[in-house]
Amino acid sequence: MKQWLKNMRKGYGKKLVSIHAWNAWIVVILAISGLMLVGGFWREILGIGRVWLKWLHIIVGLAMLAPVVYYLILAGKHWKQLRNRPWQRMNTIIVLTLLVGWLLSGIVLWQFKLAGPRWSNAALLIHDLLTWVGLPYIIYHSITRTKWLKDPSRRAFKTTTTSTRTQNTTETTAETDEKDTIAAVSSSKTQGSKVDPIKKAERPQPVYTRRAFIRSAVGIGLAVTLGPTFISWVGRNLKIDNSIDSMLENDPNRMIPLPQPLSASSPPIGGGAEGHFRVYTVTPIPSFSNANWSFRIDGLVERAQVWNWEQFVKLARTVQVSDFHCVTGWSVYKNTWEGISLAQLLKQAGVKPEAHSVKFYSGDGVYTDAITMDQAQMDDIMVAVMHDGKPIPADLGGPVRLVIPQMYAYKSVKWLNRIELIDSEHIGYWEERGYDKDAWLTGASQRIPNNLSGS
């Protein structure tokens, strides 16, 4: 084992440089692909290519394990070389923490069905937080340590003693210092000692170097460009101005009258939702009023139904408590939904024998999805008009949205305004782009719907 480690550590300096290079490319690919995966603009542009991009992100993320493990083999020697350099040791710890944190949280997100929603929720938050903290740090570190900035004349401060000069002029890694000294001594010998490396290092340097200026400029630039976006992310994910109340205060929907909650949802029998919704859309968020909103059931039914808002809010509603799971890895628990059972709406319309699927239309004019008639018989599928005793804001799919608790949320169509019964299967928006046609949660077939009648 000792001999194997010795062989692995041969050429330590070159191997360390190679690890940095490979890791840099991995981080670049992960950063670009990760930002494209979460961006609404790219979700639409990529189409089915988003699925392949997701797999590229996963595979490259797993590949990050190789340079991390390789570095750990060399870490003992590297750590000794940095014994008098606390800032470089701190940098090493920060970078390793970022890489290991990304790797572990990424594995949990990759296997979110096995990990379960609580673990995947935490992993998603950690993964995002490390990204927002880590990417600016890595960009800053990379730019300010480029080769031309590591020239001794740009990285040293003038000092009074030779020993102090020697210590302060070594800001690169120990391997670089070692090679610089060997090269300088060798050159001195071959050229008749024309160049004295110590004297060269003792040249007076400006107090504020070009390197220091670049570091400051890069730091300020990253703070200005990424700071507001980071604050916005904190607000969305760390419960700063992210409540349903704040969404309702700025809700573009203007529906009159507002639905009045049943006793079972005011206060909500679920005790209040636990977690935070992330708003994903494929179009800009639409807005509705009494003038432009209606709800219909048509297609292969005996009695087509059409309601305006005033009529729709008078329909008999029920209340249920269920969890809400997104296929990207986050969940919101113990939601109290109030609305009309899909099974009840279909019974009222009368289903024709040839009906095969139930197709759902979003009011954004783009998004559709469907389930089979057998799936539509689950009694916890709801056309919801209230969440935790309050109207559903537009950000969360209001005034009316579909809720299918036993499937991932891309089946729960937002801004629902039409249900059509059709004689064949329908491939929904995200299914066309590579998602599973049946979006079952793990263990969904064993779940007992928690459906409570309202009064």
Side-chain angles (χ1 to χ4, degrees), residues 356-395:
H356 176 275
S357 299
V358 183
K359 182 179 178 181
F360 304 101
Y361 293 81
S362 170
D364 66 5
V366 173
Y367 199 95
T368 60
D369 215 311
I371 57 177
T372 66
M373 285 303 306
D374 289 339
Q375 293 168 346
Q377 302 310 308
M378 293 187 293
D379 60 359
D380 58 351
I381 302 180
M382 175 179 283
V383 177
V385 296
M386 304 196 80
H387 175 267
D388 280 358
K390 299 172 183 176
I392 302 173
D395 283 5

Side-chain angles (χ1 to χ4, degrees), residues 382-428:
M382 175 179 283
V383 177
V385 296
M386 304 196 80
H387 175 267
D388 280 358
K390 299 172 183 176
I392 302 173
D395 283 5
L396 301 187
V400 173
R401 71 164 300 153
L402 186 66
V403 176
I404 307 180
Q406 299 189 61
M407 293 183 174
Y408 285 107
Y410 63 88
K411 285 288 188 178
S412 296
V413 177
K414 292 186 286 191
W415 311 302
L416 183 67
N417 64 1
R418 183 187 175 195
I419 298 173
E420 181 188 16
L421 273 64
I422 58 178
D423 61 2
S424 60
E425 70 176 17
H426 169 73
I427 305 301

Side-chain angles (χ1 to χ4, degrees), residues 294-351:
S294 64
F295 195 97
R296 68 176 60 240
I297 298 179
D298 56 17
L300 298 175
V301 296
E302 301 290 346
R303 299 170 293 278
Q305 309 281 308
V306 181
W307 297 273
N308 62 27
W309 177 253
E310 293 89 341
Q311 295 167 334
F312 194 79
V313 294
K314 292 179 181 178
L315 296 177
R317 300 195 295 269
T318 61
V319 177
Q320 72 177 27
V321 178
S322 60
D323 298 335
F324 187 93
H325 303 291
C326 180
V327 73
T328 58
W330 58 269
S331 303
V332 180
Y333 304 93
K334 300 180 180 179
N335 301 278
T336 300
W337 299 104
E338 181 179 321
I340 304 100
S341 162
L342 175 65
Q344 181 61 37
L345 286 174
L346 296 180
K347 182 179 179 180
Q348 182 174 334
V351 179

